[in-house]
Amino acid sequence: MTQPLANRIALVTGASRGIGYATALALAKAGAHIVATARTQGGLEELDDEIRKLGGSATLVPLNLTDSDGIARLGAGLHERYGKLDILVGNAGVLGPSSPIGHIELKTFNDVMAVNVSANFQLIRCMEPLLRQSDAGRAVFITSGAANKATAYVSPYAASKAALETLARAWAQETANTKLRVNLFNPGPVRTRMRATLMPGEDPATLDAPEQVAELIVPMCAPDWTETGRFYDYKTRTLMSFRAPA
């Protein structure tokens, strides 16, 4: 079986469940060695078992991404062990409260921003040198339609995803003349725990599974992917460009 990602190192955040878990498995199936981070040790061990069943390999890194020093140590460890990073999938995120803005405490808002924005900022800072050492570094960040819709009652989440999109786009521009490609992926409504929390009355059987989504993230991580600064919308299966408001 052809493995287009053989001998490539892929870091996936939030890999213990949902889209992160499915993406880590899909990348492993394509031949990549997975460096999986999450707060949940048990979920990582389950992922490792499944990757081994595929004949793949993984390095498990229990890590709360609000630990910026921990991210820096991870970068140093990857440098020491591999000297490079080929793929970064910034998937970890939190939904935060579902409430009117005026009812949300500042600390709660900051907690969402810490995971969804600041942690990805630190990942970029610490992983860019490693990604530049790859012959085809690829970074994909998982965003949400809430960013451009400015969805009511989830303002911290919507604002954090809008900030993440701008951060990734700026990084894509900064690295446009390098071999590194940086893109965003919007999965839309998917059968995940986060979605069930937000929409408890929704029938999960009406939604696509994370495994279906992951299959379309994998090509964006491959060496032959050449686009950068773009936005892939899973629901419409469309690769989009950002543009200024009309």
Side-chain angles (χ1 to χ4, degrees):
M1 183 176 65
T2 302
Q3 292 189 308
L5 302 182
N7 302 315
R8 306 195 77 75
I9 310 301
L11 171 60
V12 182
T13 69
S16 63
R17 63 173 184 256
I19 292 172
Y21 183 99
T23 301
L25 273 180
L27 291 170
K29 187 176 181 180
H33 174 79
I34 306 302
V35 180
T37 77
R39 292 175 296 177
T40 310
Q41 176 76 30
L44 289 176
E45 291 175 352
E46 180 183 333
L47 172 66
D48 186 49
D49 290 342
E50 293 303 311
I51 288 175
R52 288 176 183 274
K53 289 178 185 177
L54 294 172
S57 61
T59 300
L60 308 183
V61 184
L63 177 66
N64 187 327
L65 290 181
T66 61
D67 179 2
S68 58
D69 289 340
I71 293 175
R73 288 192 297 271
L74 174 58
L78 291 173
H79 173 72
E80 182 177 346
R81 185 167 182 179
Y82 303 111
K84 67 163 186 172
L85 179 65
D86 299 297
I87 299 163
L88 167 62
V89 179
N91 163 77
V94 295
L95 177 62
S98 180
S99 180
I101 293 173
H103 296 180
I104 299 170
E105 296 291 333
L106 177 59
K107 181 184 183 303
T108 303
F109 177 85
N110 288 338
D111 288 346
V112 174
M113 298 298 283
V115 176
N116 296 358
V117 185
S118 299
N120 284 301
F121 171 77
Q122 180 70 342
L123 278 166
I124 290 170
R125 289 184 65 248
C126 296
M127 302 304 160
E128 179 178 351
L130 294 167
L131 287 162
R132 282 177 175 262
Q133 289 300 311
S134 172
D135 61 346
R138 301 289 179 262
V140 180
F141 294 94
I142 307 303
T143 185
S144 167
N148 61 75
K149 293 176 184 175
T151 305
Y153 306 114
V154 289
S155 57
Y157 181 74
S160 70
K161 289 300 185 179
L164 174 63
E165 288 185 3
T166 301
L167 184 67
R169 290 167 60 199
W171 189 30
Q173 291 200 60
E174 291 174 7
T175 57
N177 294 324
T178 74
K179 293 178 285 186
L180 174 57
R181 308 286 87 182
V182 179
N183 292 281
L184 291 145
F185 186 99
N186 175 29
V190 180
R191 199 184 311 158
T192 63
R193 185 181 302 180
M194 180 184 290
R195 179 70 183 183
T197 300
L198 179 64
M199 304 289 288
E202 186 175 52
D203 180 3
T206 64
L207 304 176
D208 282 0
E211 291 75 15
Q212 294 170 275
V213 173
E215 289 301 319
L216 293 183
I217 295 174
V218 171
M220 300 176 72
C221 301
D224 60 1
W225 180 273
T226 58
E227 300 287 348
T228 196
R230 305 289 295 278
F231 175 102
Y232 189 88
D233 184 70
Y234 174 78
K235 185 176 181 180
T236 62
R237 307 299 198 274
T238 305
L239 185 65
M240 300 179 176
S241 295
F242 287 88
R243 63 183 182 183

